[in-house]
Amino acid sequence: MGTDTAIAIGGAEHEPPRKTTLSFQNISYRVRHKDEPNKQLLHQVSGEFRSGRLAGILGPSGAGKSTLLNILSGFKTNNVTGNILVNGTPIDHRMYRREVSYTPQDVCLLGNISVTESLEFAADLKLCSSVTKANKSAALEGVLKLLGLSKCALNQVENISGGEKKRLSIALELISNPMVMFFDEPTSGLDIIAAMQVVAHLKDLALSGRCVICVIHQPSSSILQMFDDLLVLSEGHCLYRGPLDELVSSFKACGFECPNYYNRADFALEIASLKHEGNILQLRERAQQQQQQQQEAITNGKTVPNSAEYCDEKDAMLTTIVEQESTDRSSCNRQYPTSEWAQFVVLTRRTMLCTFRDLQLTKMRLLAHLFVGLLIAFVFYDVGNDGNKVLSNASCLFFLLIFVFFANSMPLVMTFPLEASVFVRERMNNWYSLKAYYFSKLIADFPFLILGPSVFLATAYYLTAQPIEADRILMLWSICIFTSWIAQMTGLLAGSILPLELSVFCVPCSLIPMLIFCGFFVRFREMFDFLIPFTYIGYFRYSFEGAMQAIYGFDRPNLPCSGDFCYFSKVSKFLESFDMLENTFVMDVCGLLVWILLLHIALYVCLAWRLKRTR
């Protein structure tokens, strides 16, 4: 491919990819363990990865592969000793995170947007504002062609294959031109053909000048052959580090003979699992000597051959794409390429688009509000203005609030865990700040918070013969909105910190104490004195009491009686039977607002804690 197809970002031509050498010295990592006070997972592991060469980290389960990858990517910093250097310079963790990308084993993607839209949102978040829209579009088209995603560009992410999802995850990180790319088992869950396609694309990235490091698990011979360098770990120790072609000879020198026509990866894994007789200590010492020899070679000015000299038509395209921001980075000195306001706008657009396309969260949610509203209207028909049916009307109001809570909490409990996983991955790769995501999520969900209860109340209010007074309608509507708000925050909170199976159980259970102490089932005067304070804690007391005040408070006239005698025709007696004072609506609203504020704070803290735990 000639220069006609080169894609220049920001209106500038770029030099060939800069050479990057990621080296690490004496990396050790200790972790607290229930059996051992300080269990050491890595023991002074050293090595070097260079641009132009596809590197793999190989080892059995528990060898420390993912731990080493997390440390080298800068996501794990606690209890770590040793040095990480880029081109011989110790890293600055804040700036280093802008220069690297990390793709976990299980990549969570937003399924309700298309492949192209995913890349467009990634470009808006990860590229500086100086990059023009036309250049972004040209770069995205080139990335789609590079990674073989053009044929599925318009498909929703949930409808593409596993291999295409893996390649899309690579494309999302390639947008920001990372100088180092980390992948944790990129072939897991794929068949052999899809796995070979993914590794072939990773090889292309390396050949174009990227420093690409992968954790691999039991690769086939054809996949292993694509790797240039290998680092073999066993119980936290390095057994081999160097070119793939020298793996067998190095093991042979220490007494480990590889049979003919045997998969070298299987042979290395068997040695790392201590299933072959030989001098395993000599292997560890040999790996340390290789590190010392390489350091001496660098000190003496010698260079190591680099396979990045190869370049074909595909690499020419990739070279121009991945260098898209080399001139823009100098003008983006802040931690994120875009401002927090720009992040907020992009994230709000993306969240609203995903929500509108989510059948469960939108259409079914609105249909449920409409259907249950009509059901309540027919079951409790004309009970709101009859002194003989006030207890039935209290049940109507109570059930109305329960439905509002569950209809607005459970859908988020079901859908938010996946979105939270996407948030963690993107946030750890430095796409945006926690603050921008947090406020965008609140704003994007707000229209549905209002729309659902409004549709529900519109279908039930008139047919149940509630008073047609603007102030009472507004008060009951506001109570429903505040209850819906609390429900939404409860669903988000549970989805952010709990697994799906547990959150589906915990959210309904958390509502039970609120219902017990709301005053509907048991009057306050009938409780033990030590239980009375708990009634002021539960938010459902304020919801139910506020709904009762909206309908029966503020000097409502006596109700007509359809029977011979109606004891509750006098509204004040009815409120008194529930131990409710008249005209406490403002206090109920304040109680709900306090709960809403506390839940907002708790959600922010839980998201921050989840990020910290991931690290």
Side-chain angles (χ1 to χ4, degrees):
M1 182 175 294
T3 56
D4 294 338
T5 58
I7 301 172
I9 301 301
E13 293 295 334
H14 301 292
E15 298 177 357
R18 48 197 169 146
K19 299 297 185 294
T20 301
T21 299
L22 175 67
S23 56
F24 47 100
Q25 302 169 353
N26 302 323
I27 297 294
S28 298
Y29 176 68
R30 293 180 178 272
V31 65
R32 292 183 179 179
H33 196 267
K34 60 182 180 180
D35 298 328
E36 303 176 31
N38 289 302
K39 183 177 181 180
Q40 189 160 349
L41 300 183
L42 293 176
H43 303 264
Q44 294 186 330
V45 178
S46 300
E48 181 178 280
F49 301 120
R50 286 171 286 126
S51 59
R53 299 179 67 84
L54 179 60
I57 301 176
L58 184 68
S61 298
K65 306 185 300 296
S66 296
T67 300
L68 178 61
L69 200 72
N70 289 332
I71 293 173
L72 296 181
S73 59
F75 297 147
K76 189 181 291 294
T77 56
N78 296 331
N79 303 320
V80 176
T81 59
N83 299 314
I84 303 175
L85 304 95
V86 175
N87 295 330
T89 304
I91 63 171
D92 176 352
H93 278 278
R94 179 178 177 182
M95 298 305 298
Y96 181 64
R97 287 184 57 195
R98 286 191 57 187
E99 302 286 350
V100 305
S101 70
Y102 176 82
T103 303
Q105 178 179 351
D106 297 320
V107 179
C108 295
L109 301 169
L110 297 175
N112 294 320
I113 55 179
S114 69
V115 171
T116 300
E117 289 168 340
S118 299
L119 290 171
E120 288 174 348
F121 285 121
D124 290 339
L125 289 167
K126 302 183 72 175
L127 299 183
C128 291
S129 57
S130 57
V131 180
T132 64
K133 187 175 182 179
N135 285 334
K136 285 182 182 179
S137 299
L140 295 185
E141 183 178 352
V143 170
L144 287 170
K145 292 180 180 178
L146 262 166
L147 297 175
L149 295 172
S150 298
K151 63 179 181 180
C152 63
L154 300 180
N155 295 351
Q156 288 193 348
V157 173
E158 63 184 359
N159 296 327
I160 63 178
S161 67
E164 289 169 337
K165 289 179 180 178
K166 291 282 187 179
R167 282 179 273 154
L168 175 58
S169 67
I170 298 172
L172 292 174
E173 299 305 330
L174 185 59
I175 290 293
S176 61
N177 179 31
M179 64 180 185
V180 184
M181 304 184 76
F182 296 96
F183 298 90
D184 190 2
E185 299 193 21
T187 60
S188 63
L190 302 179
D191 59 70
I192 184 63
I193 301 301
M196 289 182 65
Q197 290 176 344
V198 169
V199 176
H201 287 298
L202 297 182
K203 179 74 170 180
D204 289 335
L205 291 178
L207 290 174
S208 68
R210 301 300 91 196
C211 187
V212 182
I213 302 104
C214 308
V215 166
I216 51 176
H217 183 66
Q218 289 187 321
S220 65
S221 297
S222 55
I223 290 179
L224 183 67
Q225 190 61 36
M226 299 184 194
F227 285 84
D228 299 299
D229 296 319
L230 209 61
L231 188 148
V232 181
L233 291 176
S234 173
E235 297 181 342
H237 295 275
C238 179
L239 297 187
Y240 175 78
R241 48 171 301 277
L244 174 65
D245 295 337
E246 299 177 9
L247 173 69
V248 174
S249 59
S250 294
F251 282 173
K252 184 177 181 180
C254 298
F256 298 97
E257 183 75 31
C258 180
N260 293 331
Y261 311 111
Y262 202 77
N263 186 346
R264 289 174 290 178
D266 292 341
F267 180 64
L269 286 172
E270 290 172 3
I271 293 175
S273 301
L274 308 180
K275 292 185 177 180
H276 281 269
E277 293 185 0
N279 195 336
I280 197 76
L281 293 178
Q282 187 178 354
L283 273 179
R284 296 177 183 176
E285 294 173 358
R286 185 183 181 92
Q288 292 178 351
Q289 291 174 0
Q290 286 178 334
Q291 172 67 16
Q292 296 173 357
Q293 292 172 359
Q294 189 166 29
Q295 290 297 326
E296 292 175 358
I298 294 174
T299 303
N300 296 330
K302 298 180 180 179
T303 59
V304 183
N306 195 319
S307 63
E309 305 302 327
Y310 163 81
C311 184
D312 63 4
E313 183 174 330
K314 180 179 285 189
D315 296 322
M317 179 189 292
L318 185 57
T319 297
T320 55
I321 293 173
V322 298
E323 281 300 304
Q324 56 192 264
E325 282 211 281
S326 59
T327 58
D328 295 314
R329 277 199 174 105
S330 59
S331 61
C332 293
N333 294 322
R334 52 180 177 264
Q335 182 178 358
Y336 305 101
T338 57
S339 65
E340 286 194 336
W341 172 253
Q343 296 169 21
F344 167 78
V345 172
V346 174
L347 290 171
T348 302
R349 285 195 296 111
R350 188 179 73 171
T351 304
M352 294 190 72
L353 181 61
C354 291
T355 305
F356 275 115
R357 291 180 181 175
D358 193 317
L359 179 63
Q360 178 182 0
L361 199 62
T362 54
K363 297 178 183 179
M364 295 300 295
R365 194 171 169 182
L366 293 177
L367 287 175
H369 279 88
L370 180 62
F371 173 76
V372 177
L374 290 173
L375 180 63
I376 289 179
F378 286 113
V379 173
F380 295 96
Y381 181 76
D382 204 26
V383 301
N385 197 36
D386 190 341
N388 198 35
K389 301 177 181 178
V390 289
L391 291 176
S392 296
N393 197 40
S395 300
C396 173
L397 296 175
F398 182 79
F399 187 79
L400 183 149
L401 294 172
I402 289 180
F403 174 76
V404 166
F405 181 88
F406 279 110
N408 290 279
S409 62
M410 298 310 294
L412 291 173
V413 168
M414 300 294 292
T415 58
F416 189 64
L418 172 62
E419 185 178 340
S421 299
V422 175
F423 155 71
V424 170
R425 175 180 60 82
E426 294 176 345
R427 176 65 185 85
M428 295 303 287
N429 278 317
N430 215 48
W431 285 35
Y432 45 76
S433 68
L434 170 59
K435 188 189 304 181
Y437 173 80
Y438 174 78
F439 285 107
S440 70
K441 182 62 180 174
L442 298 182
I443 296 300
D445 286 343
F446 202 77
F448 299 95
L449 183 150
I450 295 177
L451 185 59
S454 300
V455 170
F456 179 59
L457 200 60
T459 55
Y461 191 91
Y462 177 76
L463 293 177
T464 55
Q466 307 302 332
I468 308 301
E469 302 174 24
D471 55 344
R472 295 187 185 277
I473 295 174
L474 182 61
M475 285 190 292
L476 183 59
W477 178 80
S478 64
I479 291 296
C480 290
I481 294 300
F482 291 143
T483 304
S484 173
W485 201 341
I486 289 175
Q488 188 177 84
M489 296 306 299
T490 302
L492 292 174
L493 186 61
S496 65
I497 60 175
L498 298 175
L500 176 60
E501 299 81 2
L502 191 58
S503 58
V504 170
F505 171 77
C506 288
V507 170
C509 288
S510 69
L511 186 63
I512 300 301
M514 305 296 175
L515 298 179
I516 292 176
F517 293 111
C518 75
F520 179 77
F521 296 104
V522 181
R523 306 296 183 263
F524 301 141
R525 62 177 177 272
E526 298 171 356
M527 296 182 183
F528 291 113
D529 291 341
F530 71 89
L531 293 177
I532 299 298
F534 292 101
T535 65
Y536 294 98
I537 298 176
Y539 52 77
F540 219 85
R541 168 186 176 154
Y542 301 112
S543 294
F544 179 61
E545 190 174 79
M548 294 284 283
Q549 293 290 336
I551 298 301
Y552 293 107
F554 299 96
D555 303 320
R556 182 178 177 178
N558 293 339
L559 301 175
C561 181
S562 62
D564 297 333
F565 174 73
C566 298
Y567 180 77
F568 291 126
S569 290
K570 191 174 183 180
V571 174
S572 60
K573 290 184 178 181
F574 180 56
L575 292 177
E576 184 180 349
S577 70
F578 280 93
D579 294 342
M580 294 181 186
L581 300 176
E582 289 195 62
N583 306 335
T584 59
F585 182 79
V586 174
M587 185 186 75
D588 296 324
V589 169
C590 290
L592 292 175
L593 290 176
V594 168
W595 261 100
I596 290 171
L597 177 62
L598 292 176
L599 288 172
H600 276 79
I601 295 174
L603 177 61
Y604 189 91
V605 171
C606 287
L607 289 174
W609 173 80
R610 179 163 179 174
L611 289 174
K612 184 177 180 180
R613 185 185 63 177
T614 304
R615 281 191 166 189

